[in-house]
Amino acid sequence: MAKTINNSASERAVISGIIQHGSDAFIDIDDIISVDTFTVEENQILYACIKKVLADSTTIDLPSILSAANDLGLESWFENQISSSHIKAISGFDISLENVRHHAVKLKKLEIARQISLQAKHIISNISEVTGDETVDEIINVAESPIFELSASLNGSVEDKPLILGDEVEGYIRHLEENPSDILGLSSGFAKYDAAIGGGFRRKCVDLIAARPKVGKSMLAGNVALHIAGTLGIPVLFLDTEMSKEDHMNRLIAKNSGVNINDIAAGRFVKNSGTRERVRQAVEKLKDAPLSYIAIAGKPFEETLSIMRRWIIKNVGYDENGRVNDCIIIYDYLKLMTSDKINNNMQEFQVLGFQITELHNFCVKYDCPCLSFVQLNRDGITKESTDVVSGSDRLIWLCSSFSIFKRKSDEEIAEDQGESGNRKLIPVEARHGPGLEEYDYINIAMQGSIASIVEKETKREVQAGVNQHNEGFLTDGAESEESPF
């Protein structure tokens, strides 16, 4: 017979302590225990009645317990199973006020152990239904997901209760004074974009960048990943839905070395000692970067969440205060992987809406940022607003910033003879940042042959520079008109 995970003595101690010390004891333990924390039915009934009494009073006696039982429809228990002498015996259990919480903490730990035991039984039951047609990740997720979800719910239980901000504000300001920072989140490597969205990629936030196909969103994602992992040394998880691992390595090496991607892919870089050495140096840099990559094409979204969770637990870890270390997840790109969930009741835009909801909830739960890319619909060719993203309005509702990455028109390139690049990045919405002024955008120079993306001036900055130049030219021209020459 399996051993019951309980401690009846501690249960009696807690009940007795609350009866003896009233609201003073109850307030001290109410944040960690509930009816389910007790395993003996009589103690569960007594705790429910005691909690009912203390909702309107600060002390407890036998009549008030019986009255509460009547209000809760539990009077039959006191007629048949819980006698007055039993209540008096528990009340006589000698326990000091300061020891009540000690026993309550012990009961809470035992409750957690019972929850783990229950999850283990569910895991055994579910694993027995495995057919062998599942992927390895799907099988592992059967065991991991219930335990990780339980752990996350326990870690977040304190935050679910209201806090007095005034009690925390002094320590918070002292922390800021002792740890000043030039940027509030993780830098993307593009200073103007970071400033527009409110200081880079912040924890608990999902930042979206939308683009049409073949514009270079994967190249932009790779540049951001390489900056955060390679330059800042912060772990990055790159989730890819389209390209191969080799394609990404070719691009990253090209970015670091300045050698043509196709020369790297074909091995032609070895023909020149200079390019060979640059490639080798780029490889050494990439070897030291904490950049994790996985192809998730065709994987169910739930499996992707499991991969993310496992990466945080195993690769990122927690600091001494139990907070997830600095990291970022780059999701390239958010889309429907299979048609399994599309039916008469669930359309594609609804499925994508649930995905961004789950992604947002994940980032909040695990206190990490995520940069995700999405597809622009055909309206995105000419329009530059929030209604051009394919999928669902919910993608916009739940993101912290929404930006559009697109090709510049021939007219836009001609405005400064192509000196400001061939792409533009338009921060359309930003919850934490100022964004850009209307009709403004960040100029981007993309050199696809070496996977290089460079941030340039904004459109207004370029225009201001042109205007200053023109004003100087006009002054010179005026003087020349007064000259006989």
Side-chain angles (χ1 to χ4, degrees):
M1 176 179 284
K3 179 183 177 182
T4 302
I5 305 174
N6 68 352
N7 187 319
S8 55
S10 287
E11 290 188 20
R12 288 194 300 272
V14 169
I15 295 294
S16 178
I18 301 175
I19 292 175
Q20 292 179 45
H21 303 289
S23 59
D24 289 340
F26 181 75
I27 292 173
D28 202 28
I29 66 171
D30 184 46
D31 62 325
I32 58 174
I33 69 170
S34 66
V35 170
D36 293 333
T37 308
F38 299 89
T39 58
V40 179
E41 284 186 312
E42 289 84 350
N43 294 334
Q44 291 178 330
I45 299 300
L46 279 173
Y47 181 77
C49 294
I50 288 170
K51 186 170 184 176
K52 172 69 175 175
V53 172
L54 292 177
D56 302 310
S57 177
T58 58
T59 58
I60 299 173
D61 53 30
L62 180 58
S64 65
I65 292 176
L66 297 177
S67 176
N70 186 64
D71 292 340
L72 294 172
L74 300 172
E75 62 273 13
S76 61
W77 279 86
F78 292 87
E79 294 173 358
N80 303 318
Q81 292 177 259
I82 305 177
S83 64
S84 299
S85 59
H86 175 74
I87 298 175
K88 290 179 181 178
I90 290 181
S91 303
F93 193 94
D94 187 23
I95 181 171
S96 60
L97 176 61
E98 56 268 23
N99 285 334
V100 177
R101 185 172 177 87
H102 168 75
H103 286 282
V105 169
K106 182 179 292 187
L107 293 181
K108 183 63 179 180
K109 291 177 181 178
L110 292 173
E111 181 186 8
I112 293 171
R114 291 195 299 272
Q115 290 174 327
I116 294 174
S117 176
L118 180 62
Q119 292 293 356
K121 292 176 183 178
H122 288 162
I123 291 170
I124 293 172
S125 174
N126 292 337
I127 209 72
S128 66
E129 298 177 3
V130 170
T131 63
D133 295 325
E134 301 84 356
T135 66
V136 172
D137 280 330
E138 285 176 320
I139 296 173
I140 292 175
N141 188 51
V142 172
E144 283 187 340
S145 185
I147 300 301
F148 282 149
E149 289 299 327
L150 174 60
S151 176
S153 66
L154 293 173
N155 288 337
S157 61
V158 176
E159 294 183 359
D160 292 337
K161 297 183 180 298
L163 301 174
I164 302 299
L165 289 180
D167 293 344
E168 305 287 335
V169 67
E170 186 175 358
Y172 172 68
I173 291 297
R174 187 181 303 113
H175 169 77
L176 295 179
E177 290 174 345
E178 295 172 353
N179 301 275
S181 175
D182 294 330
I183 187 169
L184 293 171
L186 295 181
S187 170
S188 65
F190 305 115
K192 290 179 172 58
Y193 170 69
D194 289 341
I197 66 173
F201 305 122
R202 299 192 186 196
R203 288 172 178 258
K204 296 182 172 67
C205 294
V206 178
D207 294 277
L208 292 182
I209 296 179
R212 290 289 294 163
K214 314 303 181 185
V215 168
K217 59 179 177 291
S218 293
M219 199 166 287
L220 177 60
N223 274 245
V224 173
L226 195 56
H227 171 76
I228 295 176
T231 304
L232 304 182
I234 292 172
V236 175
L237 175 62
F238 198 107
L239 302 168
D240 181 52
T241 63
E242 292 188 325
M243 297 174 60
S244 69
K245 175 182 63 178
E246 290 76 17
D247 285 336
H248 274 288
M249 287 193 293
N250 291 337
R251 287 186 173 188
L252 297 175
I253 294 169
K255 167 66 177 174
N256 268 344
S257 67
V259 176
N260 187 285
I261 293 175
N262 290 332
D263 287 343
I264 294 171
R268 291 192 295 265
F269 65 90
V270 299
K271 295 179 180 180
N272 181 285
S273 60
T275 57
R276 183 170 62 246
E277 181 59 27
R278 282 153 53 194
V279 167
R280 286 179 177 174
Q281 291 177 0
V283 168
E284 289 302 315
K285 286 184 180 179
L286 192 56
K287 283 169 58 179
D288 295 333
L291 175 55
S292 301
Y293 167 89
I294 184 168
I296 57 171
K299 293 183 183 293
F301 190 73
E302 294 77 9
E303 187 176 336
T304 299
L305 292 175
S306 176
I307 292 169
M308 292 159 52
R309 181 169 53 242
R310 195 179 313 137
W311 176 74
I312 285 180
I313 300 295
K314 294 182 178 179
N315 294 69
V316 178
Y318 298 81
D319 63 18
E320 65 275 8
N321 298 314
R323 190 188 195 197
V324 170
N325 291 318
D326 283 337
C327 66
I328 188 170
I329 295 167
I330 298 180
Y331 199 127
D332 181 27
Y333 62 94
L334 197 65
K335 64 178 179 180
L336 195 66
M337 294 298 181
T338 68
S339 61
D340 294 347
K341 294 190 176 181
I342 298 181
N343 52 47
N344 293 333
N345 298 319
M346 185 74 73
Q347 301 301 313
E348 180 177 0
F349 75 92
Q350 293 173 307
V351 176
L352 287 173
F354 286 129
Q355 286 185 0
I356 188 66
T357 300
E358 290 298 313
L359 190 59
H360 172 265
N361 291 343
F362 180 95
C363 290
V364 171
K365 180 181 292 186
Y366 289 96
D367 194 25
C368 66
C370 176
L371 170 64
S372 181
F373 291 79
V374 291
Q375 192 96 311
L376 284 177
N377 58 35
R378 291 195 61 81
D379 288 340
I381 297 174
T382 56
K383 296 173 65 177
E384 296 171 355
S385 56
T386 57
D387 58 348
V388 298
V389 61
S390 293
S392 169
D393 285 342
R394 194 174 298 184
L395 294 173
I396 306 299
W397 299 339
L398 290 175
C399 69
S400 294
S401 72
F402 171 71
S403 304
I404 295 174
F405 183 58
K406 64 190 302 184
R407 288 185 175 91
K408 291 168 66 173
S409 66
D410 292 340
E411 293 78 10
E412 289 169 332
I413 293 175
E415 285 179 1
D416 62 351
Q417 291 77 49
E419 293 183 4
S420 295
N422 51 9
R423 301 290 192 276
K424 57 182 179 179
L425 184 59
I426 312 152
V428 180
E429 298 285 346
R431 179 172 297 136
H432 300 119
L436 294 180
E437 294 183 26
E438 193 172 7
Y439 305 118
D440 197 8
Y441 56 75
I442 301 169
N443 284 291
I444 300 291
M446 183 176 117
Q447 191 174 352
S449 62
I450 58 170
S452 174
I453 292 182
V454 178
E455 183 183 66
K456 311 285 278 188
E457 294 178 309
T458 67
K459 176 182 178 180
R460 291 189 180 274
E461 288 173 339
V462 172
Q463 289 176 335
V466 171
N467 290 338
Q468 290 176 0
H469 174 75
N470 287 341
E471 288 171 3
F473 178 79
L474 288 173
T475 301
D476 292 342
E479 292 175 353
S480 65
E481 289 177 356
E482 295 178 358
S483 169
F485 303 100

